[in-house]
Amino acid sequence: MTEDIYKKILMKELIPALGCTEPIAIALAAAKAKEVLGGMPDTVVISCSGNIVKNVKGVTVPNSGGMKGITAAAVLGICGGDSSKGLQVLEGITDENRLKARKLLRDKDVRIVLVEDEENLYLAVRLENGDGSSMVEIKYDHTRFYSIEKDGKKLFECDAVNGASEDTDKSSLSLKSIIEYADSVDLAENWDLVQVLDRQISYNSAIADEGLSRSYGAEVGRTIMESGDPKDPRTRSKARAAAGSDARMGGSSLPVVINSGSGNQGITVSIPVIEFAKSMEVPLDKLYRALIVSNLMAIHQKKYIGKLSAFCGVVSASAAAGSGVGYLLDYDYETISNIVTNTIATTGGMVCDGAKPSCASKIAMALDNMIMAINMSKEGRTFHQGEGLVGSDVEETVRNIGRMARQGMKNTDTEILNIMIEN
């Protein structure tokens, strides 16, 4: 039963997304609202939680021709989005769509409303014209339509609580059970899961190549590769993961396979494992199993943290990547536990101040810390219970970090948003 649940979690979470997931979720809601309305709107109102605002303000919307922000994402979704494509809603945007989007922004009433006392992941797009209105809400999950209205009447309303469903219940996740699942899963009988992992390897490697081959953002990935040994998997892990984020935050139209609703986290959990596997020349089967460990360990940590918070998600993702690398190296459970503990006990205070080019440098720093954690752990060196947020074992430490991120950093999140709005 656990095997079925873990597979379903991976199949649900490891999906492709084009661009940063928050602006793409806005584009998705807007595209759906346009389809429900059945015509072009005269008024567009985009209502967003603070965390949505924070993660959209500083990134370039893919296929937009350089447009940034909430209104850009919404009008592109209206003018050329296809909601049936989920987080690849803007894949088919054309020059004509871009022209229409700019005209809509210029000529019509397009407004943003900040919503308080809602879920961290909440947005709604309301459209109106002379013939009627439509409204689409997304809540809890980037692709989850929570309600759909036409002319004030509900067409759809989700009745599940907090987006939870039995087939993707994450309560049974633990590092020990994740490793046991990775050891035992029959990959030959789970070819659909293998295809998902292959897609993660292919997509996330491709955007890392893109970030190194062209100028995006502050070129963090290029800087690391130029200043280090390009043959060293430690350099390559940091440089290629950062380069993928450079490209993604800079508006690349290449998709990534996300983890926990985040492309940057999807890149961080996968690229280091892929690079170490290449360096070690391990069989492909071993890489798949290591990616299962890293992906599920990231999801496990995020169930305590939440999908959006003031806690930078690449910290938990880098700890998860460390567990995947430890699995490749055939480390025992205790050593892998120490990798996770050493990583999150060190950079666990890194804040999320929105999606933007510096996410690439945060990935690089988190992965540098992951490498130190691996080096410490293989020598039996670790932080101990009572030292800061370190608990009696890795599971208690993960819970402590999650509590700090979800509860303790609420005021931090609010103040970060206030500062960003002022700027």
Side-chain angles (χ1 to χ4, degrees):
M1 182 63 178
T2 295
E3 286 197 3
D4 291 340
I5 292 173
Y6 285 11
K7 177 182 173 179
K8 286 175 180 175
I9 290 171
L10 289 167
M11 299 293 284
K12 181 177 184 291
E13 293 278 350
L14 305 188
I15 59 174
L18 185 68
C20 182
T21 45
E22 280 73 45
I24 293 302
I26 290 171
L28 177 61
K32 186 68 175 179
K34 158 70 180 320
E35 293 161 13
V36 173
L37 182 66
M40 287 297 289
D42 297 318
T43 301
V44 180
V45 181
I46 312 121
S47 302
C48 302
S49 62
N51 272 270
I52 295 290
V53 174
K54 186 174 71 174
N55 285 330
V56 181
K57 186 173 183 283
V59 293
T60 302
V61 181
N63 283 339
S64 68
M67 298 168 70
K68 287 186 178 184
I70 292 169
T71 55
V75 296
L76 279 168
I78 291 166
C79 294
D82 180 351
S83 70
S84 69
K85 293 184 177 180
L87 293 180
Q88 299 185 80
V89 59
L90 298 182
E91 186 177 48
I93 294 293
T94 64
D95 287 340
E96 183 181 356
N97 298 145
R98 283 185 280 271
L99 285 172
K100 285 183 177 179
R102 292 181 187 277
K103 188 174 187 301
L104 179 59
L105 271 178
R106 184 181 67 244
D107 298 342
K108 302 297 182 180
D109 180 12
V110 182
R111 305 194 303 269
I112 302 168
V113 175
L114 176 63
V115 178
E116 299 179 355
D117 300 321
E118 252 297 355
E119 290 297 315
N120 283 348
L121 202 168
Y122 174 84
L123 67 96
V125 176
R126 180 178 177 81
L127 308 182
E128 296 179 6
N129 63 18
D131 297 321
S133 66
S134 66
M135 194 274 288
V136 172
E137 281 185 303
I138 285 179
K139 192 171 181 177
Y140 301 119
D141 189 276
H142 294 83
T143 59
R144 186 166 178 265
F145 295 128
Y146 190 74
S147 71
I148 300 173
E149 294 181 9
K150 182 175 174 61
D151 299 331
K153 296 179 180 178
K154 293 278 188 184
L155 302 182
F156 169 80
E157 187 169 22
C158 187
D159 57 3
V161 178
N162 296 340
S165 60
E166 284 187 14
D167 62 349
T168 54
D169 178 19
K170 302 179 181 72
S171 62
S172 64
L173 287 170
S174 68
L175 179 58
K176 184 179 259 324
S177 66
I178 288 168
I179 293 171
E180 289 172 353
Y181 171 67
D183 283 340
S184 63
V185 63
D186 188 332
L187 296 175
E189 292 188 1
N190 289 278
W191 190 242
D192 51 349
L193 175 57
V194 170
Q195 288 179 308
V196 167
L197 296 171
D198 272 330
R199 184 170 61 187
Q200 184 178 50
I201 294 167
S202 173
Y203 284 15
N204 294 3
S205 296
I207 202 164
D209 291 339
E210 175 73 2
L212 288 173
S213 64
R214 295 177 57 190
S215 175
Y216 286 99
E219 300 184 54
V220 176
R222 281 179 159 187
T223 301
I224 296 168
M225 193 68 87
E226 290 164 0
S227 60
D229 180 357
K231 295 181 180 179
D232 188 328
R234 295 169 296 184
T235 298
R236 291 182 64 80
S237 293
K238 292 183 290 183
R240 288 179 59 75
S245 180
D246 283 327
R248 188 168 166 273
M249 297 293 96
S252 169
S253 60
L254 291 178
V256 300
V257 170
I258 66 176
N259 182 292
S260 303
S262 164
N264 281 340
Q265 291 170 56
I267 291 168
T268 305
V269 299
S270 58
I271 291 296
V273 180
I274 294 165
E275 290 304 318
F276 271 87
K278 284 180 185 175
S279 175
M280 296 166 62
E281 298 183 341
V282 301
L284 192 55
D285 170 272
K286 184 82 168 185
L287 172 57
Y288 291 144
R289 296 179 191 278
L291 284 171
I292 286 171
V293 171
S294 62
N295 279 296
L296 285 175
M297 192 57 200
I299 294 164
H300 174 38
Q301 293 174 82
K302 289 291 283 186
K303 81 185 183 193
Y304 297 109
I305 296 168
K307 289 200 171 179
L308 297 177
S309 77
F311 181 93
C312 181
V314 301
V315 173
S316 49
S318 66
S323 69
V325 173
Y327 186 90
L328 285 175
L329 294 166
D330 293 321
Y331 289 167
D332 60 17
Y333 167 73
E334 182 179 357
T335 304
I336 295 175
S337 295
N338 290 342
I339 292 171
V340 174
T341 295
N342 289 341
T343 304
I344 58 178
T346 303
T347 46
M350 191 190 300
V351 299
C352 172
D353 53 342
K356 70 281 180 223
S358 67
C359 290
S361 59
K362 293 188 178 189
I363 288 173
M365 186 174 80
L367 290 177
D368 198 45
N369 179 46
M370 176 205 77
I371 291 163
M372 180 186 72
I374 291 171
N375 291 336
M376 288 174 61
S377 302
K378 72 181 180 181
E379 301 299 332
R381 298 165 184 155
T382 189
F383 304 117
H384 300 288
Q385 182 179 11
E387 297 174 350
L389 298 179
V390 178
S392 59
D393 60 14
V394 66
E395 297 301 331
E396 186 175 11
T397 303
V398 166
R399 289 193 296 272
N400 290 345
I401 292 289
R403 177 181 168 187
M404 179 269 293
R406 186 186 286 267
Q407 301 297 328
M409 298 182 78
K410 279 184 177 180
N411 290 339
T412 301
D413 206 25
T414 300
E415 202 55 41
I416 288 171
L417 177 62
N418 288 337
I419 293 168
M420 290 180 68
I421 290 172
E422 288 169 10
N423 292 335

